Amino acid sequence: MELTRLEQGGKPVYALAGKCTVEHAAALRQALLEAVSVNTVLTLDVSGVEEADITFLQLLLATVLTLEQNGGSLRRHGSVSPAALAAARVAGFSHTPKLANFFSDED
Amino acid sequence: MSDVDPSIALYIEETRELLGELEQGLLELETNPNDTARVDACFRAMHTIKGGGAMFGFEEISRFTHDVETVLDRVRTGDLPVSRELLSLTLAAKDHILTLLEAPRDHQNAHRDASDRLLASFAAYLPGGAATAPGHADDSGESPILRPASEESEYACPALPGPPSIYWVRLRPNPDMLLTGNDPVRLLAELDTMGDMHVLRHGPKPALDNDDFDPERVYGLFDILIATPCAVDNLRDVFIFVEGDSEVGIHRLHTGILRAADLDELLAELKGHHDEDLELAGNRLEAALAAKLAAIEAAKQKSQTQKGAEQRAAPQAKAPAAAATLRVDAARLDSLVSMVGELVILQSRLRQAAKARDLDAVTEVDEDLERLTDNLRDVALGLRMLPIGSVFSQFTRLTRDLAASLGKDVEFVAHGGETELDKTVIDRIKDPLVHLLRNSLDHGLERPEERQAVGKPPQGRVTLSANHSGGNVVIVIADDGRGIDVAAVRRKAVERGLVAPEAEPSEKELLDCIFAPGFSTAAKVSDVSGRGVGMDVVKKNIEALRGTVELSSVLGQGATVTIRLPLTLAIIDGFNVMVGGDSFIVPLANLRGFQERFVEGQVRTVDTIERMGSMAPVVSLRRLFDVPGDQPGYERVVITEAEGETVGFCVDKVIGRQQAVIKSLDDCYRHLKWISGTTINGDGSISLILDVPQLVRFVRGREDSRLHAGEPFRTLPQ
Amino acid sequence: MAKRIMTVDDSASVRQMVAMTLKKEGYDVIEASDGKDALSKMSGTIDMVITDLNMPNLDGIGLIKGIRAQAAYKFIPVVMLTTESQAGKKAEGKSAGATGWIVKPFTPDQLLAVVKKVLR
């Protein structure tokens, strides 16, 4: 698991890549907390996610909640990796109102 | 399923070993019934045999062992005491399993009756003492029914005939589910393969900065509607590992098809009601569905006849003949592999040296290669080494049963079971040992009352021991019975013309008569022994292994049989000696030293030489083998020892130490005495390997009669 | 990269059957003959463990506890081999952290079905 801050058109994009599974859940939470603390609107690129389990989906949902509590939002950059999309679909996270936009096919 | 065939051979071998351990364990329990570790080991052996039986196609073994295992389990948990009857019964079961193991697998049913008879006896030990139907284990519906996907089905389960059903599945994962290696996403992904699935994830949603949020826990619950042709059992199997810890509910809502949008609408009815129990939520869904169904009356059921679920037959591959396999200590294999690695390096060093025409480097490689070859040989031979204990343990049972049938009380003691011997030697020494043990029990040991009459303890004792001695393994069978009546042996020997009536043979020579064909002093022939067939065979078998056998006895106190065997049959260390143009190998194990002698005049085949202050016989190999060429005036004498006697061999030259890979003599040369085999030398020439024990015996036989300068022997027939 | 599975059983035949079945499917296999042996071989990436319960030295339950005690293997799937006569053991194994079980006797197909079920 790796969360990297990139610049895309002058805006920060956080690229999440690798295995986003329970082994790395605590680390990912820490990385996301740091990202959330400096961005009201957080842009995530999850195209490099190779493995995803329930912890990844819960962390995404939790991130949205924290961002929204602070008046911000979660946006997506790039496509959703097949692993992440499959996990979100079978576990219903792609239809959860808070994440439906994030996982939608548009943009 | 041919890919499991090697495992079948392994199972057979492993089961044989386990049965051996089981037997040993049972016998030890007889003397020490409270040894719980022993009971555990017996149970585990039976357990493993049973598990493998069903897995590798030995259905009858599996069926039979089921109850036996249950009984052993009851002993293990203390529900049943260890009794002599139970041990005997379990021993009988052990024998029966061996029979089943060795029977052709398609004829296992032929032994069913025998199984059932034994099982009937075991029934008394089962819970309540009542026989339970063997082979029909109570699965209590807990085992997963994991069927492979039927190829005819679009989904990962066999499709039921008729229209698909719509199930409502609720999964409320245990928050700690991840700690057992399970994951709701994986479970749902599996469920997804079984039909058209719609998921609602709801319930608690902790925020990222929430102090209580533990990212390694699972939050919320999942309500799923799935339209599937699969049976409810297939859906249930998805959750089999988490049922009990997590809340799992599966209900059939409807038979028939609903539009995807309708399913989503139905699911939405549950939103915000995640705290409701299954019944309430179920009622809510049923009501919504009824309304929906009424509204979509027009929707026709698209019948989707699917072929019936394919019965998955499990064709059982025929068992191949069990290959001869050998268990090898992994460390030995590792060292072998690393040595082969070194060998490869040496080869490349040799190539470089040869290219550079660097003789020093070649010599260096040669030295390294010699060391490596020595090690490699030892390790390679070590691969074939097995502890002799595997054979010993079988004897515990043998003596027990024999003693019972002979009405004798016998304590059997085995020492040195860890002594290692070549597998071939072990396989071939078993029968002779059985024979010798039988003799000890039948002829050697007296009945308890006889023993008491002469002031001995009523219980006789037979000791079997093995240990290393020089390059040999020495196996000793000793009993404390009546011993051998040498006078009786003498009478019999004279009667049979083995000994001249007026001769004064030594006790050792008389005892050797026992190994003559057809010799028996037993007054009556019993089932066990006494037919006079056997001791000669025993001797022959042992000699075929390049071993020797000796008998000693003290009248009234017991007899001892000592067997000496070479460690291996394949390679010996020896000294190369020359006589004229012929080359011979003297096995290092027999070699004791070198001397020299000056010869004048007529040379005798057997002569004497002074060695360490006493006279030792020497044999002129030149005369013995009629080697052509002139007799030199100065000869080297190779001093050897075998069977406790020293004999020298006169040769022209001693070349040096050499490893001899034994090539056994072809059948047409088997009548040759004094030669145990041949070996091919580095230069392609052939050396004959001297059979020192045979030569010693020859010398012993000729020493007195002083066979002088007559016709030299060449190929003396036996 | 092939997933690495450790098979732990004191029965060499079962171990070989499991190993062969898995290797044929392209998995890497590590073999161990009992719980103690297994723990000594736990290093690097191990994606799954399949263990017998009745074993000398350290039994399956003890092994599962030992695996769960290591951070690196806290969440990996651990499947135990049980027999129908071990219902109690199954519960004990589950509470020790076992992911699931396979009931002996089993066929290669059944083994693979469980592996695919629990392996990510």
Side-chain angles (χ1 to χ4, degrees):
Chain A
M1 190 280 300
E2 222 176 321
L3 188 65
T4 323
R5 187 180 183 280
L6 307 166
E7 292 284 335
Q8 285 282 339
K11 286 180 190 163
V13 171
Y14 287 79
L16 181 55
K19 292 184 179 183
C20 297
T21 48
V22 58
E23 288 84 358
H24 311 287
L28 179 56
R29 182 196 184 200
Q30 205 52 47
L32 285 170
L33 270 174
E34 281 161 29
V36 163
S37 70
V38 293
N39 296 277
T40 324
V41 174
L42 182 66
T43 308
L44 268 187
D45 183 338
V46 292
S47 60
V49 172
E50 288 162 15
E51 273 182 36
D53 65 5
I54 191 69
T55 63
F56 164 73
L57 299 170
Q58 287 181 162
L59 280 166
L60 276 189
L61 187 56
T63 304
V64 176
L65 289 170
T66 297
L67 286 169
E68 287 184 356
Q69 277 163 16
N70 302 332
S73 62
L74 178 70
R75 290 191 186 160
R76 192 183 91 206
H77 181 270
S79 59
V80 181
S81 79
L85 189 60
R89 190 178 60 77
V90 299
F93 282 74
S94 57
H95 290 87
T96 300
K98 304 273 182 209
L99 282 173
N101 275 336
F102 185 82
F103 282 114
S104 71
D105 293 337
E106 296 144 41
D107 71 348
Chain B
M1 291 234 276
S2 60
D3 53 328
V4 295
D5 284 353
S7 311
I8 292 175
L10 192 57
Y11 171 73
I12 293 175
E13 189 194 335
E14 181 177 77
T15 302
R16 281 214 185 93
E17 277 173 30
L18 284 170
L19 288 174
E21 286 167 23
L22 178 69
E23 180 172 282
Q24 207 178 352
L26 291 169
L27 292 169
E28 278 171 35
L29 279 175
E30 199 158 51
T31 39
N32 190 3
N34 296 323
D35 188 344
T36 51
R38 218 28 96 188
V39 175
D40 260 0
C42 289
F43 167 78
R44 228 176 15 238
M46 196 57 85
H47 183 75
T48 306
I49 291 169
K50 184 185 101 167
M55 209 130 84
F56 301 114
F58 294 86
E59 303 297 346
E60 185 61 15
I61 289 186
S62 165
R63 185 185 79 96
F64 175 72
T65 39
H66 179 77
D67 284 358
V68 185
E69 184 205 8
T70 309
V71 169
L72 286 180
D73 196 24
R74 294 193 71 205
V75 174
R76 191 167 73 133
T77 52
D79 288 352
L80 271 179
V82 174
S83 68
R84 215 182 164 84
E85 293 71 35
L86 182 56
L87 290 177
S88 294
L89 193 56
T90 313
L91 281 171
K94 176 248 148 190
D95 290 345
H96 182 62
I97 295 167
L98 192 62
T99 309
L100 290 174
L101 191 70
E102 282 164 358
R105 280 200 301 161
D106 34 0
H107 287 92
Q108 297 253 311
N109 281 343
H111 299 282
R112 237 187 131 86
D113 289 347
S115 301
D116 287 340
R117 274 195 299 279
L118 274 170
L119 286 177
S121 309
F122 271 105
Y125 297 96
L126 288 171
T132 54
H136 296 296
D138 175 24
D139 281 3
S140 57
E142 271 194 285
S143 54
I145 309 148
L146 294 158
R147 300 190 194 93
S150 153
E151 285 177 20
E152 243 107 336
S153 171
E154 165 186 6
Y155 298 115
C157 54
L160 294 177
S165 297
I166 292 167
Y167 290 91
W168 165 48
V169 179
R170 167 168 280 193
L171 169 66
R172 193 190 298 272
N174 183 307
D176 289 328
M177 180 187 266
L178 293 163
L179 293 175
T180 63
N182 282 299
D183 173 8
V185 171
R186 217 169 53 225
L187 297 173
L188 294 170
E190 190 182 346
L191 189 64
D192 187 49
T193 63
M194 304 212 166
D196 183 13
M197 184 174 93
H198 296 255
V199 188
L200 170 68
R201 187 259 169 226
H202 50 153
K205 291 194 280 279
L208 192 65
D209 55 358
N210 192 326
D211 287 342
D212 294 338
F213 177 46
D214 178 350
E216 292 175 1
R217 285 168 82 90
V218 182
Y219 297 88
L221 77 159
F222 304 85
D223 276 306
I224 301 120
L225 290 181
I226 180 168
T228 174
C230 304
V232 66
D233 278 345
N234 294 124
L235 303 185
R236 209 164 276 288
D237 281 350
V238 171
F239 302 100
I240 182 139
F241 292 158
V242 299
E243 241 174 356
D245 302 327
S246 299
E247 183 188 317
V248 178
I250 300 177
H251 295 274
R252 194 213 301 261
L253 275 185
H254 176 64
T255 303
I257 310 257
L258 285 176
R259 289 184 305 161
D262 294 335
L263 292 176
D264 282 336
E265 272 177 49
L266 275 177
L267 263 184
E269 293 290 328
L270 294 172
K271 261 185 201 169
H273 300 287
H274 55 83
D275 286 334
E276 275 179 7
D277 64 17
L278 275 172
E279 203 187 331
L280 262 173
N283 289 342
R284 190 181 293 280
L285 266 183
E286 296 274 6
L289 177 69
K292 192 109 249 163
L293 285 176
I296 54 169
E297 235 176 333
K300 292 269 179 187
Q301 275 189 201
K302 196 168 76 186
S303 96
Q304 206 182 339
T305 32
Q306 302 251 12
K307 281 187 181 168
E310 216 187 343
Q311 279 297 318
R312 189 177 155 275
Q316 201 53 259
K318 267 188 90 171
T325 60
L326 182 64
R327 289 234 205 162
V328 174
D329 181 18
R332 284 179 175 170
L333 269 187
D334 288 348
S335 61
L336 188 65
V337 170
S338 84
M339 283 180 191
V340 170
E342 280 179 54
L343 197 60
V344 172
I345 296 166
L346 277 178
Q347 193 269 332
S348 63
R349 271 175 59 196
L350 182 62
R351 171 167 298 170
Q352 279 175 7
K355 255 188 198 157
R357 303 259 184 280
D358 182 348
L359 204 57
D360 289 346
V362 172
T363 311
E364 218 173 89
V365 172
D366 172 55
E367 280 167 12
D368 289 349
L369 192 58
E370 186 183 3
R371 238 189 329 270
L372 183 65
T373 314
D374 268 10
N375 290 341
L376 203 54
R377 182 202 63 169
D378 290 346
V379 171
L381 290 178
L383 295 180
R384 297 190 50 83
M385 295 301 217
L386 286 178
I388 198 169
S390 57
V391 179
F392 280 13
S393 60
Q394 300 169 16
F395 294 155
T396 315
R397 173 79 183 280
L398 177 87
T399 49
R400 175 188 188 271
D401 292 355
L402 258 182
S405 78
L406 293 167
K408 294 180 179 176
D409 192 1
V410 181
E411 183 194 8
F412 176 75
V413 188
H415 297 299
E418 72 288 346
T419 310
E420 287 192 327
L421 257 176
D422 193 282
K423 183 178 191 302
T424 322
V425 180
I426 287 193
D427 289 347
R428 283 157 63 182
I429 195 63
K430 199 180 131 189
D431 287 345
L433 288 180
V434 167
H435 194 92
L436 292 170
L437 275 174
R438 284 189 170 154
N439 274 342
S440 280
L441 261 79
D442 196 9
H443 305 313
L445 293 178
E446 313 90 332
R447 289 175 178 285
E449 58 277 11
E450 282 174 63
R451 292 179 64 88
Q452 272 169 318
V454 296
K456 289 185 185 179
Q459 190 182 48
R461 188 182 169 99
V462 175
T463 314
L464 178 61
S465 65
N467 67 287
H468 282 287
S469 164
N472 292 306
V473 167
V474 181
I475 301 174
V476 178
I477 298 174
D479 65 62
D480 66 347
R482 55 172 75 92
I484 297 165
D485 185 350
V486 181
V489 171
R490 191 198 153 94
R491 274 198 303 279
K492 197 88 178 179
V494 170
E495 205 176 286
R496 293 186 52 88
L498 294 165
V499 172
E502 68 284 357
E504 291 291 336
S506 67
E507 187 174 312
K508 196 169 163 60
E509 281 167 310
L510 279 172
L511 288 176
D512 274 348
C513 290
I514 290 176
F515 293 109
F519 193 94
S520 173
T521 57
K524 70 177 170 74
V525 170
S526 74
D527 265 357
V528 178
S529 54
R531 289 195 185 84
V533 184
M535 284 306 262
D536 59 322
V537 178
V538 166
K539 188 175 182 179
K540 220 176 257 171
N541 285 346
I542 291 169
E543 283 177 350
L545 295 168
R546 294 212 318 273
T548 60
V549 57
E550 247 175 69
L551 192 57
S552 66
S553 159
V554 179
L555 191 60
Q557 287 181 34
T560 302
V561 182
T562 307
I563 299 167
R564 287 193 169 76
L565 293 167
L567 281 176
T568 177
L569 301 177
I571 301 180
I572 56 166
D573 261 324
F575 251 86
N576 192 350
V577 298
M578 297 290 291
V579 180
D582 292 356
S583 156
F584 298 92
I585 301 284
V586 181
L588 203 62
N590 299 111
L591 193 73
R592 291 297 174 271
F594 297 98
Q595 283 184 236
E596 51 192 17
R597 72 165 182 177
F598 294 91
V599 196
E600 279 167 37
Q602 181 73 287
V603 176
R604 295 188 297 198
T605 305
V606 180
D607 208 330
T608 51
I609 189 173
E610 196 201 322
R611 173 167 169 80
M612 295 178 180
S614 60
M615 298 306 281
V618 293
V619 178
S620 164
L621 291 183
R622 178 181 299 279
R623 284 205 61 82
L624 189 67
F625 293 112
D626 195 15
V627 179
D630 297 333
Q631 172 70 46
Y634 166 80
E635 283 185 328
R636 302 293 304 272
V637 180
V638 184
I639 308 292
T640 66
E641 191 189 313
E643 301 178 353
E645 291 180 36
T646 304
V647 170
F649 298 109
C650 306
V651 301
D652 294 357
K653 266 193 290 188
V654 173
I655 305 293
R657 197 173 156 173
Q658 181 183 326
Q659 279 188 1
V661 177
I662 299 173
K663 301 265 174 200
S664 50
L665 292 169
D666 200 73
D667 273 345
C668 52
Y669 300 115
R670 278 285 155 83
H671 63 284
L672 284 176
K673 269 193 168 183
W674 311 322
I675 301 296
S676 61
T678 65
T679 188
I680 298 171
N681 301 321
D683 62 0
S685 64
I686 287 172
S687 296
L688 301 175
I689 299 166
L690 293 180
D691 189 337
V692 177
Q694 287 279 6
L695 283 161
V696 166
R697 260 168 253 152
F698 159 76
V699 171
R700 198 194 294 149
R702 302 293 168 210
E703 232 183 333
D704 301 320
S705 41
R706 292 286 181 209
L707 191 80
H708 298 313
E711 274 296 295
F713 295 85
R714 187 137 182 111
T715 53
L716 192 87
Q718 269 186 329
Chain C
M1 204 179 71
K3 298 274 187 187
R4 298 180 88 199
I5 304 179
M6 179 184 277
T7 165
V8 192
D9 204 308
D10 54 335
S11 158
S13 59
V14 174
R15 220 163 57 220
Q16 177 173 338
M17 186 268 211
V18 170
M20 275 182 51
T21 306
L22 296 177
K23 281 178 186 161
K24 245 184 109 215
E25 284 291 299
Y27 296 109
D28 277 352
V29 181
I30 308 169
E31 295 184 36
S33 58
D34 59 46
K36 213 172 139 198
D37 189 28
L39 283 181
S40 76
K41 289 177 179 166
M42 296 286 298
S43 67
T45 303
I46 291 169
D47 296 295
M48 178 178 177
V49 176
I50 300 173
T51 177
D52 192 22
L53 284 183
N54 270 298
M55 291 183 296
N57 297 324
L58 181 64
D59 70 0
I61 305 291
L63 171 61
I64 294 167
K65 288 180 181 160
I67 292 172
R68 292 296 180 227
Q70 298 180 51
Y73 310 112
K74 200 172 161 190
F75 303 107
I76 65 166
V78 180
V79 169
M80 49 191 172
L81 304 180
T82 67
T83 60
E84 70 284 352
S85 59
Q86 291 177 312
K89 281 272 178 186
K90 202 189 284 177
E92 210 184 318
K94 272 175 87 172
S95 63
T99 308
W101 57 87
I102 304 175
V103 175
K104 289 201 273 193
F106 55 87
T107 64
D109 286 341
Q110 288 169 328
L111 171 70
L112 289 174
V114 172
V115 170
K116 282 173 186 151
K117 181 180 174 68
V118 300
L119 197 55
R120 285 195 284 259

